[in-house]
Amino acid sequence: MQKTFRGVYTVMITPLDPSGAVDLKGLAAFTDWQVKEGIHGLIPLGSTGEFLSLSEEERDSVARTVIETVAGRVPVLIGTGAEDTRESIRLSVKAEAMGADGVMIIPPFYSTPTDDELVHHYKSIASAVAIPIMVYNNPATANVDLKPELVKRIAEIDGCDYIKESTLEVTRVRDIIRLAGDDMTVFGGILGFESFVMGAQGWVAVASNVAPGPMARIFELVANEKKFDEARELYLKWLPVIQAVGGQAYVAGTKSLLTHMGFGAGLPRPPRLPLPPAQDVAMKRLVTDFGLTFSI
């Protein structure tokens, strides 16, 4: 039975050990901590997880570790985006066989496909798997923009039931809901609180890597309890952390915060570099100011 995806889903970092290898023991501990802190779902092998900098063997081990550690406690979606439709199909089929609850798929990010080609891409993948697809709109990295009118077409594909909408135009949430209705459930990709207010049913968040409980609580206050003022207050309180892991520093910044929190996140893989010393000091200050800690 398929699970309904709703709430705050962490797009997870991939921890590396001091030698630069994927730290599967650390990943399992991090996964368990996320669940115990109240996160609603997990997404390994997204951009924050440096999926393009991992070998296929490493990606498989990351996916397997998260799925097995979660053990059904929350939904797990695996990032299976690729430039070649056939490759994305292969990766999605593999994720389903591993026990993933769904897959998150960014459009082909080099070929700048047309709208018709994008519809064909997602239809081809959806026909190959029985688990739901979360379409991922991120024009800054994919070179194409899944505008609401196109999302409506994709929403008509059986299995393309969710979208991570990662622009700074919160009206996209409004328009997708208006055009696609119940055929497409919207998750914010950058804007969490603002997307909830416009009707989004979730948030694929970077900041929940370091503060899963508070990020999940923002959603619960809006969507479940209708306490908008309280949610806004909590959102504004945590905005410095949310902004600290936004933009170019989303991987290095998140790993810096986690390291100062006591979790061995390791360094990013090149071409990404660790934060410059001044920024790292600022991250350490945030950890102190917000009382952020990692403990299992």
Side-chain angles (χ1 to χ4, degrees), residues 159-199:
C160 291
D161 302 327
Y162 300 86
I163 184 168
K164 175 186 176 184
E165 168 38 48
S166 288
T167 69
L168 289 170
E169 299 176 30
V170 74
T171 54
R172 297 290 188 99
V173 177
R174 176 200 68 195
D175 291 339
I176 292 169
I177 294 171
R178 180 173 57 87
L179 294 172
D182 293 337
D183 289 338
M184 184 65 79
T185 299
V186 183
F187 276 59
I190 298 174
L191 304 175
F193 172 77
E194 296 89 347
S195 295
F196 300 153
V197 173
M198 292 304 301

Side-chain angles (χ1 to χ4, degrees), residues 11 43-47 51-52 56 59-60 63 67 76-98 100-109 121-122 125-126 128-129 131-136:
V11 58
I43 306 179
L45 301 178
S47 303
F51 78 101
L52 287 172
E56 181 163 4
R59 294 197 303 269
D60 288 350
I67 291 168
V76 177
L77 281 68
I78 304 298
T80 57
E83 181 64 22
D84 183 341
T85 300
R86 297 167 302 173
E87 177 69 358
S88 193
I89 289 172
R90 188 181 70 83
L91 295 174
S92 299
V93 168
K94 183 190 290 190
E96 182 176 26
M98 286 183 180
D101 298 293
V103 289
M104 184 177 76
I105 304 176
I106 195 166
F109 31 77
H121 178 72
Y122 284 108
I125 302 166
V129 295
I131 54 177
I133 292 171
M134 177 179 285
V135 179
Y136 179 14

Side-chain angles (χ1 to χ4, degrees), residues 55-294:
S55 69
E56 181 163 4
E57 181 181 0
E58 289 174 324
R59 294 197 303 269
D60 288 350
S61 65
V62 166
R64 194 174 292 112
T65 297
V66 174
I67 291 168
E68 291 177 356
T69 303
V70 167
R73 289 177 290 173
V74 299
V76 177
L77 281 68
I78 304 298
T80 57
E83 181 64 22
D84 183 341
T85 300
R86 297 167 302 173
E87 177 69 358
S88 193
I89 289 172
R90 188 181 70 83
L91 295 174
S92 299
V93 168
K94 183 190 290 190
E96 182 176 26
M98 286 183 180
D101 298 293
V103 289
M104 184 177 76
I105 304 176
I106 195 166
F109 31 77
Y110 183 81
S111 57
T112 57
T114 65
D115 286 5
D116 288 345
E117 289 169 339
L118 287 164
V119 170
H120 182 268
H121 178 72
Y122 284 108
K123 185 178 292 184
S124 299
I125 302 166
S127 66
V129 295
I131 54 177
I133 292 171
M134 177 179 285
V135 179
Y136 179 14
N137 185 40
N138 190 338
T141 58
N143 290 323
V144 293
D145 189 357
L146 307 181
K147 293 183 178 178
E149 293 76 15
L150 174 57
V151 175
K152 179 182 184 298
R153 292 180 60 190
I154 295 172
E156 294 168 358
I157 301 169
D158 186 24
C160 291
D161 302 327
Y162 300 86
I163 184 168
K164 175 186 176 184
E165 168 38 48
S166 288
T167 69
L168 289 170
E169 299 176 30
V170 74
T171 54
R172 297 290 188 99
V173 177
R174 176 200 68 195
D175 291 339
I176 292 169
I177 294 171
R178 180 173 57 87
L179 294 172
D182 293 337
D183 289 338
M184 184 65 79
T185 299
V186 183
F187 276 59
I190 298 174
L191 304 175
F193 172 77
E194 296 89 347
S195 295
F196 300 153
V197 173
M198 292 304 301
Q201 291 298 303
W203 178 20
V204 177
V206 177
S208 54
N209 274 286
V210 301
M215 298 304 109
R217 184 62 183 146
I218 294 170
F219 172 80
E220 292 162 0
L221 284 167
V222 175
N224 299 343
E225 302 174 31
K226 311 303 179 186
K227 296 179 179 177
F228 293 92
D229 289 342
E230 190 173 335
R232 183 187 300 107
E233 183 178 351
L234 185 61
Y235 166 62
L236 292 175
K237 173 185 174 181
W238 284 93
L239 190 57
V241 173
I242 295 169
Q243 291 179 326
V245 294
Q248 194 69 21
Y250 66 106
V251 175
T254 302
K255 287 192 164 185
S256 171
L257 286 170
L258 284 167
T259 298
H260 291 303
M261 289 168 58
F263 174 71
L267 302 176
R269 276 190 176 164
R272 296 182 178 93
L273 296 174
L275 291 183
Q279 283 182 262
D280 187 62
V281 168
M283 293 296 182
K284 185 176 182 179
R285 189 177 306 117
L286 277 176
V287 167
T288 300
D289 291 346
F290 281 85
L292 293 167
T293 58
F294 177 88

